[in-house]
């Protein structure tokens, strides 16, 4: 008998990947090895590992990639000010390449010919997985069961119930949820009607702003070279800081995002996110950049941020282009060191204070008090040269033609 091929499946314990174990074995006659990559969204890793074995996996692995995720994926995104379409902090988009990396490594180690993931054929995640595998293990075959089987979400639930596969979703609460410390994404169900306000029960990390305490909470975030290193004066690692900030900002009603998003595959989708820590950190980071970077740097960095966000969203993490942008971004961060004070109040994160040893803000230049050293007479010559092109244009072009027009209209009257 020919040796069965092995496939490594990225396993979350959720509906699609649970169904996929049996489906892969039935349809492709492969030995299924599952891999649960925990980037921070998984609570019961051991339970998930065992569940895969129960559902027919020949081997089941779990890796703790929480710190790697923050250090190598979230941190670069913070330095980049990455927000897709100005709204989405890219939690899922940053996580997929890391999962793909572990998938490829495990396939190589286990001698598997194939990797598999639970993404459907309508989303961005399939692109991120597939393209990352192209980049890291180009010889590997890729199977995406949920993209092939074409079942509706209800159909998948039926399949699971028929095959006695325990699933964490019920038909009356059919949400698809993906979470890691950088954010939580909620899709499906009533959210597919963009006119329908998201029901309160989809939220798990954030209080409704109207139920948040009336008394504002102040926080201080310390940054070094563009990265958050302390919270309220206490130094801590990135993961701890983000976890803590999710709680603090979440209880003040911060972090809810309700967005009509442009997917790479052409679909507009209604996405609801909770990203309390991400919103606060990105806002604070930008505030510190405003204080420590010139306007030329800020303007260009904004373009780079947009490019970077699109690239991450569109699955091109393992590209030379991303490395090139990272080189620029890292260089741009060398003076982004200092502290930001923010007031968290009923859904709002308001920056109320900032300081930096590299601040470009000069009191002596800005003040209207007697310490003022700015020579206002300098402004006159500066403005004369700054406005010179417009003056010449007016004289030689716009004013001339206006005069000619006037002359013509007078002639036609007489
Ligand atoms: N729309 C977001 C993205 O494309 C979130 C996707 C969430 N994925 C999920 N399987 N629920 O990154």
């Amino acid at each position: 008998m020919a040796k069965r091929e092995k496939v490594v499946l990225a396993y979350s314990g959720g509906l699609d990947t649970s169904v996929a174990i049996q489906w892969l074995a039935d349809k492709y006659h492969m030995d299924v090895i599952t891999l649960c990559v925990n980037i921070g969204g998984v609570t019961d890793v051991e339970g998930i590992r065992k569940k895969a074995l129960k559902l027919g996996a020949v081997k089941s692995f779990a890796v703790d990639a929480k710190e790697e995720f923050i250090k190598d994926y979230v941190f670069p995104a913070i330095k980049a000010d990455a927000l897709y379409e100005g709204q989405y902090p890219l939690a899922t988009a940053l996580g997929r390449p890391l999962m793909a990396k572990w998938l490829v490594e495990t396939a190589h180690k286990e001698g598997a010919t194939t990797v598999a993931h639970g993404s459907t054929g309508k989303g961005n995640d399939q692109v991120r997985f597939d393209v990352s595998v192209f980049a890291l293990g180009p010889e590997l075959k890729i199977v995406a069961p949920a993209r092939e089987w074409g079942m509706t979400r209800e159909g998948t639930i039926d399949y699971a119930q028929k095959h006695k596969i325990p699933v964490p979703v019920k038909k009356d609460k059919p949400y698809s949820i993906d979470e890691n410390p950088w954010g939580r994404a909620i899709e499906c169900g009533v959210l597919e009607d963009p006119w329908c306000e998201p029901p309160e029960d989809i939220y798990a990390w954030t209080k409704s702003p109207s139920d948040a305490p009336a008394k504002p909470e102040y926080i201080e975030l310390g940054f070094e070279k563009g990265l958050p290193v302390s919270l309220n004066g206490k130094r801590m690692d990135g993961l701890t800081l983000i976890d803590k900030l999710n709680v603090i900002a979440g209880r003040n009603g911060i972090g809810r995002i309700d967005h009509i998003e442009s997917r790479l595959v052409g679909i507009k989708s209604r996405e609801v996110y909770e990203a309390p820590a991400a919103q606060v950190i990105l806002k604070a980071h930008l505030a510190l950049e405003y204080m420590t970077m010139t306007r030329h740097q800020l303007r260009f960095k904004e373009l780079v941020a947009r490019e970077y966000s699109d690239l991450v969203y569109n699955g091109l993490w393992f590209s030379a282009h991303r490395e090139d942008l990272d080189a620029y971004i890292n260089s741009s961060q060398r003076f982004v060191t200092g502290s930001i004070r923010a007031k968290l109040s009923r859904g709002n994160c308001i920056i109320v204070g900032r300081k930096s040893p590299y601040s470009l803000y000069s009191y002596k230049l800005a003040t209207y008090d007697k310490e003022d050293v700015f020579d206002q007479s300098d402004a006159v010559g500066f403005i004369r040269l700054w406005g010179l092109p417009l003056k010449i244009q007016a004289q030689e072009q716009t004013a001339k033609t206006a005069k000619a027009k006037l002359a013509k209209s007078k002639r036609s009257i007489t």
Side-chain angles (χ1 to χ4, degrees):
M1 210 174 90
K3 226 173 119 209
R4 277 162 73 96
E5 281 185 40
K6 293 181 205 165
V7 54
V8 182
L9 166 69
Y11 186 60
S12 69
L15 174 65
D16 287 332
T17 53
S18 291
V19 167
I21 297 178
Q22 183 146 10
W23 191 88
L24 278 168
D26 287 353
K27 169 118 200 258
Y28 284 94
H29 310 289
M30 287 183 179
D31 282 345
V32 181
I33 298 169
T34 57
L35 173 68
C36 171
V37 185
N38 181 14
I39 60 170
V42 185
T43 40
D44 182 17
V45 177
E46 199 39 34
I48 290 176
R49 218 185 54 74
K50 286 205 180 112
K51 181 174 171 183
L53 292 173
K54 237 200 281 164
L55 295 177
V58 297
K59 276 189 190 176
S60 178
F61 297 109
V63 287
D64 181 343
K66 293 200 285 281
E67 268 155 34
E68 186 182 5
F69 177 57
I70 301 298
K71 215 171 101 263
D72 297 345
Y73 296 78
V74 173
F75 275 3
I78 293 172
K79 290 192 270 192
D81 298 310
L83 262 187
Y84 182 66
E85 295 186 327
Q87 309 238 15
Y88 166 42
L90 295 159
T92 301
L94 289 164
R96 296 308 189 223
L98 174 55
M99 292 177 183
K101 178 180 158 239
W102 276 100
L103 213 52
V104 169
E105 268 173 34
T106 309
H108 287 161
K109 224 186 268 156
E110 293 295 314
T113 58
T114 309
V115 292
H117 57 78
S119 311
T120 71
K122 299 181 67 167
N124 302 307
D125 288 336
Q126 55 170 342
V127 183
R128 298 166 186 152
F129 269 120
D130 288 6
V131 174
S132 299
V133 173
F134 293 166
L136 302 176
E139 74 294 344
L140 292 167
K141 291 183 278 187
I142 303 168
V143 185
R147 182 165 61 191
E148 283 185 27
W149 66 42
M151 290 190 260
T152 62
R153 209 157 161 77
E154 289 219 339
T156 317
I157 296 174
D158 286 340
Y159 181 103
Q161 279 165 356
K162 215 180 290 153
H163 290 78
K164 301 210 165 15
I165 297 167
V167 286
V169 277
K170 296 267 164 346
K171 278 190 198 164
D172 60 332
K173 246 197 201 177
Y175 300 118
S176 163
I177 294 170
D178 185 61
E179 65 179 57
N180 65 52
W182 201 234
R184 183 169 178 268
I186 312 121
E187 294 171 317
C188 299
V190 292
L191 301 176
E192 288 179 352
D193 174 0
W195 185 248
C196 168
E197 183 176 352
E200 202 51 38
D201 69 350
I202 66 163
Y203 296 110
W205 295 2
T206 54
K207 264 225 160 91
S208 164
S210 50
D211 293 338
K215 193 168 173 275
E217 199 169 341
Y218 286 84
I219 58 152
E220 189 180 324
L221 259 184
F223 286 88
E224 271 172 25
K225 294 192 170 146
L227 291 177
V229 293
S230 68
L231 177 59
N232 295 331
K234 253 194 228 124
R235 269 193 98 82
M236 55 188 84
D237 66 274
L239 180 59
T240 311
L241 187 145
I242 289 167
D243 281 344
K244 279 195 197 302
L245 203 51
N246 270 328
V247 174
I248 297 171
R251 71 181 171 223
N252 284 288
I254 289 161
R256 295 185 177 185
I257 301 158
D258 178 351
H259 179 42
I260 297 294
E261 190 170 286
S262 312
R263 287 191 189 162
L264 178 59
V265 295
I267 300 169
K268 289 274 188 197
S269 69
R270 206 279 185 85
E271 302 285 332
V272 179
Y273 300 105
E274 291 186 278
Q279 274 196 340
V280 172
I281 290 172
L282 290 172
K283 197 165 184 184
H285 177 258
L286 203 54
L288 191 57
E289 288 190 326
Y290 278 120
M291 177 172 249
T292 54
M293 290 166 78
T294 64
R295 65 177 195 261
H296 313 109
Q297 289 176 298
L298 287 168
R299 190 171 180 282
F300 190 69
K301 178 94 191 325
E302 207 175 301
L303 301 177
V304 175
R306 173 126 208 193
E307 183 71 14
Y308 201 86
S309 312
D310 283 2
L311 170 159
V312 171
Y313 188 82
N314 294 331
L316 304 178
W317 181 267
F318 292 110
S319 60
H321 186 36
R322 200 258 307 160
E323 289 175 5
D324 295 346
L325 294 180
D326 269 338
Y328 166 76
I329 291 164
N330 280 327
S331 168
S332 78
Q333 298 299 292
R334 61 205 190 281
F335 300 113
V336 186
T337 294
S339 288
I340 294 293
R341 226 157 72 81
K343 176 170 154 178
L344 312 181
S345 174
R346 293 207 148 159
N348 294 307
C349 166
I350 306 153
I351 306 297
V352 292
R354 60 290 266 168
K355 61 180 176 195
S356 164
Y358 305 115
S359 172
L360 300 178
Y361 173 86
S362 159
Y363 172 76
K364 283 190 167 144
L365 288 175
T367 184
Y368 284 95
D369 282 350
K370 58 180 180 311
E371 282 109 304
D372 185 8
V373 295
F374 185 88
D375 184 348
Q376 296 195 28
S377 66
D378 282 351
V380 182
F382 165 73
I383 296 167
R384 209 177 287 138
L385 297 191
W386 174 249
L388 190 56
L390 271 67
K391 195 170 187 177
I392 295 173
Q393 188 157 49
Q395 284 166 348
E396 301 303 320
Q397 298 175 350
T398 35
K400 244 187 205 169
T401 47
K403 232 187 234 164
K405 249 192 212 154
L406 193 71
K408 216 168 139 197
S409 68
K410 270 188 189 147
R411 218 176 302 131
S412 60
I413 291 168
T414 51

